[in-house]
């Protein structure tokens, strides 16, 4: 029996955007995510997207699992394909849905005939198949309002498709349909969640990570790369920038007031991030900040950080509690990696008494007291870049 994945137009989460462009991007993203599983045809036709294996031995479970994580799909179905012939449809339905129908108490048949050349009308299909299912599974009852299993038969151009209840998709908008942004990613819990949320709104992500060897280890950096790969299951491939930050941090420590260290460091991070964003045509920065979470995330500190930015800084977690962020991190499977215990460069040289209410004037004055530009340029030049591809599990 041949199985396909089917996304109908109503299941594509589209609002207000150009539908055609949006679907083209979605199809491209689906192709990209399924490419290494074998020859799989992904095509748009008859107000649906069909995902059809074209060779034997394709891991269909894995294909369905990956589809579940592609933004822009609100729901989809796994469907069996039958000939456009009632007997074949009935045989296929009884065999394909044996599991769910055996476990259910109630069912209903729904038929749609978009190929009007098929000799039976939809109500006839529903009546006849309903009867055949009742004979094969005598324990079942018909419930037209809230059936346990909704058996759907669709007679379309290329064949007949039979499926049961639809599966939930990831929702959101297709990655790449909403522009590009640069995520500042640490090894912590928050920033991967922030990136996920913005990718869900259709943004394609690049990611920048600051390291301070020898204060931070290679393993800390590897951890962040693993986070990007895990995020990639939803966000797609990510262009990754790893910035050597040690010299700037040491210079800050030696030349600026200790209590302003964190805020100045964050301003330098923003500055460097923007150099990459501008060079690559990315339109915004994304961070995992949430008001009041730590000293550098008071509103006053955010004012000082924002003043160092020429482009919008998106902070999707801004009003969330830590517990809510943790819940999301678990849901998207980044939590287990985030809690691995490696140092982040932010925790290096942390001042004993960071200023929680710095004034912008004093912060700018402190920064102006030293010429950071040559060090910024050097950090940008020495940055390592690469693509990180989604986890294959
Ligand atoms: P996270 O859980 O994301 O580490 P946090 O609560 O630890 O966040 P901070 O350490 O104050 O908060 O960092 C705030 C934000 O700054 C992070 O969410 C992230 O966007 C960015 N950031 C922090 N450290 C780094 C780093 N080493 N490289 C890149 N970005 C960073
Ligand atoms: Mg952190």
């Amino acid at each position: 029996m041949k199985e396909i994945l089917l996304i109908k137009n109503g299941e594509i989460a589209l609002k207000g955007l150009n539908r055609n462009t949006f679907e083209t991007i979605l199809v491209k993203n689906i192709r990209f995510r399924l490419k290494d599983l074998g020859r799989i045809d992904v095509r748009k036709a008859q107000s649906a997207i069909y995902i059809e294996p074209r060779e034997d031995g394709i891991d269909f479970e894995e294909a369905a699992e990956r589809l579940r994580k592609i933004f822009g799909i609100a729901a989809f179905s796994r469907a069996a394909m039958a000939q456009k012939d009632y007997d074949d449809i009935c045989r296929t339905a009884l065999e394909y849905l044996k599991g769910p129908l055996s476990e259910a108490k109630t069912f209903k048949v729904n038929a749609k005939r978009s190929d009007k050349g098929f000799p039976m009308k939809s109500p006839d299909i529903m009546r006849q198949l309903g009867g055949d299912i009742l004979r094969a599974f005598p324990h079942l009852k018909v419930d037209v309002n809230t059936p346990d299993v909704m058996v759907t038969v669709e007679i379309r151009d290329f064949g007949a498709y039979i499926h049961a209840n639809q599966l939930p998709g990831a929702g959101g908008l297709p990655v790449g349909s909403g522009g590009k942004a640069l995520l500042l990613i640490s090894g912590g819990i928050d920033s991967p969640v922030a990136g996920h949320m913005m990718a869900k709104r259709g943004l394609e992500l690049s990611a920048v990570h600051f390291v301070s060897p020898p204060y931070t280890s290679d393993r800390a950096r590897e951890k962040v790369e693993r986070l990007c790969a895990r995020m990639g299951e939803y966000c797609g491939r990510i262009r990754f920038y790893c910035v050597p930050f040690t010299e700037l941090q040491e210079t800050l420590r030696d030349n600026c007031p200790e209590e302003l260290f964190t805020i100045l460091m964050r301003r330098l991070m923003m500055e460097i991030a923007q150099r990459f964003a501008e060079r690559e045509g990315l339109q915004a920065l994304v961070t995992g900040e949430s008001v009041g979470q730590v000293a550098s995330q008071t509103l006053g500190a955010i004012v000082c950080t924002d003043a160092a930015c020429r482009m919008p800084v998106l902070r999707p977690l801004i009003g969330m509690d830590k517990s809510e962020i943790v819940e999301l991190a678990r849901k998207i499977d980044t939590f287990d990696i985030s809690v691995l215990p490696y140092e982040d460069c932010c925790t290096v040289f942390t001042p004993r008494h960071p200023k929680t209410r710095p004034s912008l004037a004093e912060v700018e004055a402190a920064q102006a007291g030293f010429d950071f530009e040559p060090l910024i340029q050097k950090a940008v030049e020495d940055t390592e870049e690469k693509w990180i591809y989604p986890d294959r599990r």
Side-chain angles (χ1 to χ4, degrees):
M1 190 178 355
K2 185 156 185 187
E3 225 184 343
I4 69 158
L5 296 165
L6 186 65
I7 309 160
K8 283 176 277 173
N9 258 357
E11 296 161 357
I12 293 175
L14 167 65
K15 275 169 204 72
L17 277 164
N18 180 314
R19 167 147 227 146
N20 226 344
T21 324
F22 181 102
E23 283 178 353
T24 305
I25 296 172
L26 180 58
V27 166
K28 193 177 114 243
N29 291 352
I30 296 172
R31 283 196 185 121
F32 178 77
R33 282 297 284 132
L34 303 183
K35 202 167 61 183
D36 66 314
L37 293 178
R39 272 182 50 219
I40 300 179
D41 196 30
V42 181
R43 69 175 189 284
K44 246 182 353 168
Q46 276 202 321
S47 63
I49 295 172
Y50 294 77
I51 300 157
E52 195 174 334
R54 288 292 187 188
E55 62 183 346
D56 291 337
I58 284 178
D59 186 345
F60 201 75
E61 293 294 326
E62 175 67 15
E65 176 62 17
R66 290 195 191 173
L67 199 67
R68 198 175 66 73
K69 296 177 177 172
I70 295 175
F71 290 131
I73 303 169
F76 64 98
S77 306
R78 285 176 72 151
M81 232 177 133
Q83 314 274 328
K84 283 197 266 185
D85 161 76
Y86 179 76
D87 289 341
D88 195 48
I89 291 172
C90 179
R91 208 176 315 120
T92 306
L94 294 180
E95 188 191 329
Y96 185 60
L97 302 177
K98 194 157 80 189
L101 288 174
S102 308
E103 281 164 29
K105 290 199 176 70
T106 60
F107 80 105
K108 173 188 175 180
V109 178
N110 183 21
K112 283 179 215 150
R113 187 182 57 138
S114 47
D115 171 10
K116 300 295 178 204
F118 189 74
M120 288 167 80
K121 290 190 170 148
S122 299
D124 302 334
I125 302 172
M126 295 190 320
R127 200 172 317 114
Q128 192 153 344
L129 187 59
D132 284 331
I133 290 177
L134 280 173
R135 269 185 290 282
F137 300 90
H139 73 284
L140 284 174
K141 286 199 167 54
V142 173
D143 178 347
V144 293
N145 297 315
T146 51
D148 295 337
V149 177
M150 170 77 95
V151 177
T152 304
V153 179
E154 301 188 42
I155 317 286
R156 288 170 169 265
D157 272 2
F158 312 108
Y161 300 91
I162 294 129
H163 52 93
N165 303 356
Q166 57 181 21
L167 304 164
L173 305 172
V175 167
S177 65
K180 297 180 183 180
L182 179 60
L183 170 68
L184 284 87
I185 187 168
S186 69
I189 296 169
D190 304 340
S191 36
V193 174
H196 178 95
M197 286 175 71
M198 294 326 300
K200 188 171 183 177
R201 298 316 302 156
L203 302 195
E204 186 179 327
L205 296 181
S206 297
V208 58
H209 177 59
F210 296 85
V211 292
S212 300
Y215 306 103
T216 62
S217 65
D218 280 349
R219 297 178 68 185
R221 173 195 169 154
E222 283 158 22
K223 171 183 166 181
V224 175
E225 293 188 15
R226 278 182 66 196
L227 277 170
C228 288
R230 183 59 57 82
M231 287 172 67
E233 292 183 18
Y234 288 91
C235 309
R237 66 175 188 176
I238 292 174
R239 186 79 185 156
F240 180 70
Y241 301 87
C242 188
V243 185
F245 206 42
T246 317
E247 251 190 291
L248 273 162
Q249 285 191 299
E250 287 175 341
T251 308
L252 262 183
R253 177 196 58 192
D254 299 339
N255 295 281
C256 296
E258 186 191 321
E259 69 277 12
L260 295 180
F261 176 86
T262 307
I263 189 80
L264 290 169
M265 177 187 75
R266 297 199 50 72
R267 285 167 58 95
L268 291 175
M269 281 185 173
M270 294 302 207
E271 178 54 44
I272 292 172
Q274 287 173 105
R275 305 270 169 118
F276 297 116
E278 283 162 354
R279 197 178 77 193
E280 309 297 334
L282 315 174
Q283 299 158 287
L285 303 178
V286 180
T287 74
E289 290 161 295
S290 138
V291 164
Q293 203 183 80
V294 289
S296 61
Q297 296 178 20
T298 60
L299 196 52
I302 288 175
V303 167
C304 293
T305 324
D306 258 2
C309 294
R310 305 177 285 281
M311 56 177 65
V313 181
L314 308 177
R315 299 178 170 95
L317 311 184
I318 198 73
M320 284 169 76
D321 284 347
K322 192 72 183 188
S323 59
E324 295 170 315
I325 300 170
V326 165
E327 194 183 317
L328 253 172
R330 286 188 197 278
K331 212 170 118 193
I332 64 171
D333 254 352
T334 52
F335 184 80
D336 291 343
I337 305 175
S338 288
V339 294
L340 294 173
Y342 310 119
E343 282 280 287
D344 181 58
C345 77
C346 274
T347 48
V348 178
F349 315 127
T350 310
R352 278 156 300 186
H353 304 291
K355 245 199 172 149
T356 50
R357 292 171 203 276
S359 80
L360 181 55
E362 74 180 315
V363 168
E364 285 179 343
Q367 194 168 342
F370 191 89
D371 180 16
F372 290 99
E373 184 55 29
L375 287 176
I376 290 174
Q377 279 178 24
K378 183 155 183 293
V380 169
E381 266 163 38
D382 293 343
T383 291
E384 285 175 43
E385 279 179 47
K386 66 171 177 181
W387 285 109
I388 296 184
Y389 290 90
D391 259 353
R392 313 215 179 281
R393 292 198 275 171

